């Protein structure tokens, strides 16, 4: 068992090593920095004018619940996994040594690790980009409280988040939902690209992101939100009271949990039925 786990982890790490040679990752890192810096610069300017600190726990929840920045983050996930099913120059060698099943599990582990890194980097970037006015507090603070209650500002800070969550709770939920959405997208793109070929997963994942915009324009947004993975990651849409008809936080966690288990099981089953001797071919690089 230990050898199997070690083999799967080495396969995942082998994929991460390719990041240094991959232009997509350089583009993704630049996209992440520009996105966070643009949002935080506006926050820093406002904090400086009112001479108040920017609560580090409050930045990411509000950044992600802004429609424009959320789209950039979600398309960043698609960019990160757009080369699914992750066939590179080392794939044939890894497949011969490990077999399809272990290689598949390794790729799924890679998706989880990559998603964790992606989420963590976003949080760390919010800290780095708010250093000039950085502060830590268990309350929302004057900066975000004022922005949330002021209409007409381009940042669109949502006051509803302040009513439903404390800063640390909002941060933890946002990070967990972003992590699960990233894993969800990665698993889905890997599965669909395995079945239908490279590019299929990217097309479907892009459609899912666009469907996430529907609640903002739909006449019945609560129903759409229940079946839209991207909508379920918006803590401002979730309603634990159950009065509004929008899904609850628990519903969102259960939705992602069941979806991830089903996709991982189906993907592993597909690869378990493949035989190396029948499937050796020139890998796409």
């Amino acid at each position: 068992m230990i050898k199997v786990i070690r083999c799967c982890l080495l396969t995942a790490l082998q994929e991460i090593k390719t990041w240094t040679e991959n232009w997509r990752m350089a583009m993704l890192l630049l996209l992440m920095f520009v996105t966070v810096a643009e949002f935080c610069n506006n926050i820093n300017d406002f904090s400086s004018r009112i001479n108040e600190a920017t609560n580090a726990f409050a930045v990411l929840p509000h950044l992600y619940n802004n429609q424009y920045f959320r789209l950039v983050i979600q398309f960043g996930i698609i960019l990160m996994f757009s080369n699914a099913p992750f066939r590179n120059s080392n794939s044939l060698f890894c497949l011969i040594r490990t077999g399809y099943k272990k290689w598949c599990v390794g790729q799924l582990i890679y998706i989880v690790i990559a998603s964790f890194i992606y989420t963590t980097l976003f949080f760390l970037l919010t800290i780095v980009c708010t250093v000039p006015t950085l502060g830590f507090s268990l309350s929302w603070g004057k900066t975000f409280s004022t922005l949330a209650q002021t209409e007409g500002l381009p940042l669109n800070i949502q006051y509803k988040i302040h009513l439903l969550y404390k800063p640390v709770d909002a941060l933890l939920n946002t990070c967990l939902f972003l992590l699960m959405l990233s894993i969800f997208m990665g698993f889905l793109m890997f599965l669909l690209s395995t079945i239908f070929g490279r590019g299929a997963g990217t097309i479907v994942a892009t459609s899912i992101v666009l469907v996430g915009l529907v609640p903002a324009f739909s006449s019945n947004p609560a129903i759409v939100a229940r079946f839209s993975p991207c909508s379920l990651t918006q803590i401002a849409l979730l309603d634990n009271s159950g009065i509004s008809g929008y899904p609850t936080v628990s519903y969102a966690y259960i939705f992602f949990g069941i979806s991830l288990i089903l996709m991982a099981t189906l993907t592993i089953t597909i690869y378990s039925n493949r035989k190396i001797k029948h499937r050796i071919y020139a890998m796409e690089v």
Side-chain angles (χ1 to χ4, degrees):
M1 177 61 72
I2 295 178
K3 288 184 177 180
V4 173
I5 295 174
R6 182 174 179 272
C7 181
C8 294
L9 288 174
L10 288 175
T11 300
L13 293 176
Q14 186 66 36
E15 188 64 36
I16 291 177
K17 287 180 180 179
T18 64
W19 286 7
T20 56
E21 307 168 357
N22 198 319
W23 65 268
R24 290 180 303 99
M25 292 305 169
M27 287 287 293
L28 182 61
L29 188 60
L30 178 62
L31 179 69
M32 293 170 67
F33 179 78
V34 171
T35 300
V36 176
E38 181 181 351
F39 182 85
C40 290
N41 283 341
N42 290 314
I43 297 295
N44 288 335
D45 288 343
F46 184 79
S47 294
S48 297
R49 287 201 300 269
I50 64 173
N51 196 29
E52 289 288 336
T54 300
N55 186 359
F57 300 136
V59 180
L60 186 58
H62 283 297
L63 183 150
Y64 187 76
N65 280 273
N66 178 290
Q67 182 172 291
Y68 165 73
F69 294 106
R70 182 172 62 254
L71 276 177
V72 175
I73 293 173
Q74 291 171 353
F75 277 117
I77 296 173
I78 296 175
L79 177 62
M80 180 165 60
F81 297 127
S82 61
N83 64 329
F86 315 121
R87 293 170 182 166
N88 53 58
S89 57
N90 296 318
S91 295
L92 181 58
F93 176 74
C94 290
L95 277 171
I96 293 173
R97 293 198 62 181
T98 65
Y100 268 112
K101 185 175 181 179
K102 294 176 186 175
W103 181 82
C104 170
V105 173
Q107 300 307 317
L108 295 179
I109 293 174
Y110 158 70
I111 292 172
V112 174
I113 295 174
S115 298
F116 179 79
I117 293 174
Y118 186 71
T119 303
T120 303
L121 277 178
F122 258 112
F123 172 64
L124 293 178
L125 281 173
T126 61
I127 300 294
V128 172
C129 292
T130 53
V131 164
T133 59
L134 185 64
F136 294 90
S137 173
L138 296 179
S139 63
W140 287 104
K142 187 176 179 180
T143 296
F144 283 100
S145 295
T146 303
L147 288 171
Q149 298 180 70
T150 305
E151 298 182 358
L153 295 178
L155 290 177
N156 190 29
I157 302 298
Q158 299 190 43
Y159 186 60
K160 182 180 178 181
I161 295 177
H162 290 212
L163 297 176
L164 297 175
Y165 307 92
K166 294 180 179 179
V168 175
D169 293 334
L171 176 63
L172 289 176
N173 278 299
T174 299
C175 287
L176 286 174
F177 283 135
L178 178 55
L179 174 64
M180 289 191 293
L181 178 66
S182 184
I183 298 173
F184 177 92
M185 291 292 204
F187 280 12
L188 181 65
M189 293 172 71
F190 184 46
L191 175 61
L192 294 180
S193 297
T194 295
I195 299 174
F196 301 107
R198 181 173 292 181
T202 301
I203 294 172
V204 174
T206 300
S207 301
I208 289 176
V209 170
L210 296 178
V211 169
L213 298 174
V214 173
F217 307 100
S218 172
S219 58
N220 199 343
I223 298 298
V224 178
R226 287 185 174 276
F227 301 99
S228 169
C230 291
S231 299
L232 289 174
T233 61
Q234 302 175 45
I235 60 174
L237 279 183
L238 303 179
D239 180 17
N240 281 331
S241 68
I243 298 175
S244 66
Y246 280 94
T248 63
V249 172
S250 299
Y251 174 91
Y253 281 120
I254 293 172
F255 174 91
F256 281 112
I258 293 176
S259 299
L260 295 179
I261 292 172
L262 289 177
M263 284 192 289
T265 302
L266 180 57
T267 305
I268 294 172
T269 301
I270 290 174
Y271 275 97
S272 297
N273 294 327
R274 293 188 172 186
K275 304 296 181 182
I276 293 291
K277 63 181 180 180
H278 293 147
R279 301 290 297 182
I280 292 181
Y281 51 84
M283 290 290 182
E284 301 174 49
V285 179

